[in-house]
Amino acid sequence: MRLINQKPSRIARYALGALPFAAVLLIYSVASKLRHMENPQDRLLPSLQQMAAAVERMAFTPSKRTGEYTMWLDTLASLERIGIGMLVSTVLALVLGIAMGAIPRIRATLAPFVGAFSLIPPITVLPILFIVFGLGETAKIALIVVGTAPVMTRTVAQATADVPDELLVKVQTLGANSWQIVTRVFVPMVLPRLIGAIRMGLVPAWIFLVSAEAIAAEQGLGYRIFLVRRYLAMDVILPYVAWITIIAYVLDRAFYLLSRKGLRWAHGEGGAL
Amino acid sequence: MSVLEVRGLGVDYDGVRVLERIDLSVAAGAFCTVVGASGCGKSTFLRILLGQERPTRGEVLLDGVPIPPEPMPDRGVVFQKYSVFAHLSVRDNLALPLEIQRARGLGRLFGRARRQVRAEVADLLHRIGLEHAGDRYPGQLSGGMQQRLAIGQALVLKPRVLLLDEPFGALDPGIKKDMHALILNLWQDTGMTVFMVTHDIQEAFQLGTRLVVFDKLRHDPHAPRAFGATITYDLPLRPPQPPAADRPAGPDPAAAAASQPPAPDAAPETGETPDAAP
Ligand SMILES: Nc1ncnc2c1ncn2[C@@H]1O[C@H](COP(=O)(O)OP(=O)(O)OP(=O)(O)O)[C@@H](O)[C@H]1O
Ligand SMILES: [Mg+2]
């Protein structure tokens, strides 16, 4: 049979999917072992046991200085920032996006501006944000908003504009006023695309979060990574990176499932990834 | 008495004349079918009747009053596609018009009022043959079922005129026959006026009390875009039904159908469809 027609079974699919992970883990372990045989003090490729010990120390042992669990504290601080930032972006995207997509006057007014704004490399705005808002939480959250809201807004505006004219005519023949058209047609119909925009926005949001934390913070996942970098503490950095990846993955899946379960109508046949 | 009156209507798109000198007066209770070559401006004409677009010249009167320049509940519509709301279940699609009328703020009812509205549309749900599919989303329905729903939804607010733009154009012949029976039944029961664009000339003869043909009357080979289409034939097929109030009580489609003699110049199928149950 041709390769393009050979489909792996369910079990084979899982096994194949796990393969690259296992391979990386194996290669890493071997490399780490080799380096440690040469130099027991090696810090570059800590063994899995060393990393486990670091996680034990960071996540499950109260810090000697503060009596708190560092990794959870970092996680909470980061989640709070990214959560508030994405919430603000989502509200902005929904309000501005629907207004732009639905009302020609507002589109004419805002579309060029949002378009231009979305082209500013957000990280270049960070010094400005620190100067304006100080080194506290506001600047970090603002960076996430600056970095995600414009693109999310454009996505929602496009989704709004994509609502077929036929439906808008239809709902008008049912007597709807403008506000009712927003609540009964535009908002529900753009929700799937909004959730898609949030999932897409989370990717840059993590980058901006870690960048902002690296520069000025007292806690946070990004802050910790850049702090321990000074001591070449790869045994902490690697688990932190893995942890961030896991959180990002879980958030993405959660939004996907929210869409699948909450917006069944939008996931008819096939179903996207 | 005419429900719909069009006077001296003309439409230009960027200097291209699409429609010109259209005069039409549609009697109450008529089922007016419209045919014409592709691209001759039938959908354009319908958009103007809807109020979705303004004519370049002329005017449209509904019950003697110029129509407002936007769609209103007095003119219901069913398009070939995108006629129902994909995010609402069948039942909620039917309830939507009532919710919009009663909850002027959000357009959404809750609790008892919501249950009340859903109960009110139960009969209509049955009439369009979708009672077993009330909780499904349109994406889970066949094309024919979606169009049934679209027609049902358009009728909830009892519009003066129902405008249809190739509503059965995408359906296969067997389903089409069921749909013809449905639309005729609903037309007879409500006594409303129907205006239907179709590509299917047989359908046009079969359903209509009056057949209108759009075509270009004048043609200049050196300037093919100088002249627009107009009404070239206007054939009465059957008498329009009397207004609902004047007819004997009881929605008996068979009796109503029998009272309509087949027009002599209609296609042979004319007489048999109206009483075919869905
Ligand atoms: N918004 C528009 N701007 C410019 N030209 C248009 C516009 N809408 C329609 N036209 C033109 O007007 C003419 C009539 O279009 P219309 O859609 O009304 O035809 P139709 O009779 O409904 O065709 P069909 O049977 O294929 O549906 C076409 O030549 C089309 O290109
Ligand atoms: Mg058309």
Side-chain angles (χ1 to χ4, degrees):
Chain A
M1 217 184 348
R2 291 179 189 82
L3 270 175
I4 57 164
N5 292 328
Q6 295 176 19
K7 305 229 165 70
S9 72
R10 217 175 128 82
I11 297 166
R13 267 210 319 279
Y14 284 124
L16 288 172
L19 205 61
F21 290 98
V24 167
L25 222 62
L26 184 75
I27 292 168
Y28 182 90
S29 309
V30 171
S32 163
K33 190 124 233 144
L34 289 176
R35 282 187 76 100
H36 277 91
M37 280 188 340
E38 226 166 85
N39 169 17
Q41 303 303 316
D42 179 69
R43 313 207 53 163
L44 209 58
L45 299 182
S47 68
L48 296 181
Q49 293 88 324
Q50 283 172 313
M51 284 195 264
V55 170
E56 164 72 29
R57 184 158 39 82
M58 301 297 291
F60 302 106
T61 320
S63 148
K64 282 194 204 73
R65 244 172 0 98
T66 59
E68 278 157 331
Y69 297 86
T70 312
M71 196 162 159
W72 301 124
L73 216 63
D74 288 338
T75 305
L76 275 183
S78 289
L79 280 181
E80 192 178 323
R81 287 168 191 143
I82 207 167
I84 296 175
M86 288 308 286
L87 189 69
V88 172
S89 286
T90 303
V91 171
L92 279 176
L94 196 61
V95 173
L96 292 180
I98 287 183
M100 281 167 60
I103 304 171
R105 279 213 179 92
I106 296 185
R107 179 177 7 211
T109 313
L110 289 184
F113 181 76
V114 172
F117 199 90
S118 70
L119 292 177
I120 302 174
I123 209 75
T124 60
V125 181
L126 186 57
I128 303 171
L129 295 175
F130 277 139
I131 293 168
V132 174
F133 295 115
L135 297 179
E137 296 302 296
T138 317
K140 298 191 225 359
I141 291 167
L143 179 66
I144 294 174
V145 174
V146 169
T148 54
V151 178
M152 288 171 65
T153 301
R154 289 170 77 177
T155 304
V156 173
Q158 188 59 51
T160 307
D162 286 345
V163 172
D165 273 349
E166 283 93 335
L167 287 183
L168 298 181
V169 171
K170 178 83 179 218
V171 79
Q172 291 180 71
T173 66
L174 303 180
N177 58 39
S178 299
W179 176 243
Q180 289 175 319
I181 297 174
V182 169
T183 61
R184 294 304 314 258
V185 181
F186 285 127
V187 171
M189 293 207 77
V190 304
L191 276 186
R193 298 268 291 272
L194 178 69
I195 291 183
I198 293 173
R199 291 173 67 199
M200 298 304 280
L202 274 167
V203 178
W206 279 106
I207 300 176
F208 300 129
L209 173 74
V210 170
S211 315
E213 287 179 342
I215 292 170
E218 266 101 59
Q219 58 212 5
L221 296 166
Y223 161 75
R224 195 69 53 198
I225 292 178
F226 279 83
L227 181 74
V228 302
R229 178 191 65 93
R230 294 182 210 157
Y231 320 115
L232 288 178
M234 287 290 270
D235 57 338
V236 173
I237 294 176
L238 288 175
Y240 260 65
V241 171
W243 179 229
I244 292 174
T245 310
I246 291 169
I247 296 174
Y249 174 79
V250 168
L251 280 178
D252 184 64
R253 287 316 282 183
F255 278 108
Y256 172 67
L257 290 176
L258 179 73
S259 184
R260 270 221 85 109
K261 295 276 174 290
L263 308 171
R264 267 192 311 125
W265 64 272
H267 301 266
E269 256 86 59
L273 277 171
Chain B
M1 187 204 76
S2 72
V3 175
L4 198 63
E5 189 146 353
V6 178
R7 291 192 196 142
L9 184 124
V11 178
D12 297 352
Y13 278 128
D14 320 314
V16 180
R17 188 143 299 181
V18 174
L19 294 173
E20 61 181 19
R21 291 193 261 167
I22 294 183
D23 293 285
L24 182 71
S25 168
V26 180
F31 194 129
C32 190
T33 50
V34 180
V35 294
S38 186
C40 74
K42 305 181 296 294
S43 297
T44 304
F45 186 59
L46 218 62
R47 281 202 296 277
I48 284 164
L49 296 187
L50 267 169
Q52 193 183 347
E53 279 175 28
R54 316 237 36 197
T56 316
R57 281 170 298 279
E59 58 179 351
V60 178
L61 308 177
L62 187 72
D63 290 319
V65 183
I67 56 165
E70 56 182 351
M72 286 292 170
D74 50 18
R75 284 152 285 149
V77 69
V78 176
F79 297 105
Q80 182 170 350
K81 53 183 184 165
Y82 300 127
S83 273
V84 292
F85 297 92
H87 62 286
L88 296 175
S89 71
V90 168
R91 210 183 302 276
D92 287 341
N93 260 293
L94 291 182
L96 179 69
L98 295 176
E99 288 193 88
I100 285 173
Q101 294 301 315
R102 291 178 199 175
R104 290 312 291 175
L106 275 182
R108 188 188 292 274
L109 295 170
F110 300 95
R112 241 186 59 146
R114 180 158 187 264
R115 282 195 297 280
Q116 158 83 24
V117 155
R118 289 172 138 238
E120 276 175 53
V121 297
D123 178 52
L124 185 58
L125 191 62
H126 175 75
R127 300 245 14 212
I128 58 174
L130 291 178
E131 62 273 75
H132 60 282
D135 295 321
R136 285 206 237 159
Y137 288 107
Q140 301 167 306
L141 303 179
S142 70
M145 290 161 92
Q146 286 188 26
Q147 289 306 79
R148 281 169 191 278
L149 177 58
I151 292 169
Q153 188 183 45
L155 292 180
V156 173
L157 297 181
K158 306 195 166 56
R160 283 291 281 157
V161 183
L162 181 63
L163 304 168
L164 308 168
D165 194 354
E166 301 184 32
F168 315 134
L171 306 179
D172 57 59
I175 306 291
K176 241 185 190 181
K177 256 186 113 98
D178 293 348
M179 300 298 291
H180 291 167
L182 174 76
I183 192 75
L184 282 178
N185 275 336
L186 291 170
W187 171 62
Q188 281 153 6
D189 290 359
T190 56
M192 68 185 160
T193 309
V194 178
F195 199 90
M196 174 167 130
V197 171
T198 175
H199 262 142
D200 182 340
I201 189 104
Q202 195 174 319
E203 177 177 87
F205 273 107
Q206 212 167 302
L207 297 178
T209 59
R210 173 177 182 183
L211 173 66
V212 173
V213 181
F214 275 49
D215 202 356
K216 285 190 184 184
L217 203 52
R218 303 184 289 168
H219 195 77
D220 179 350
H222 302 291
R225 294 151 31 120
F227 298 115
T230 188
I231 295 176
T232 53
Y233 291 95
D234 187 347
L235 308 174
L237 301 175
R238 309 172 186 80
Q241 57 183 344
D246 302 353
R247 282 178 293 144
D252 184 355
S259 71
Q260 294 178 12
D265 54 345
E269 291 82 354
T270 306
E272 65 188 50
T273 313
D275 49 9

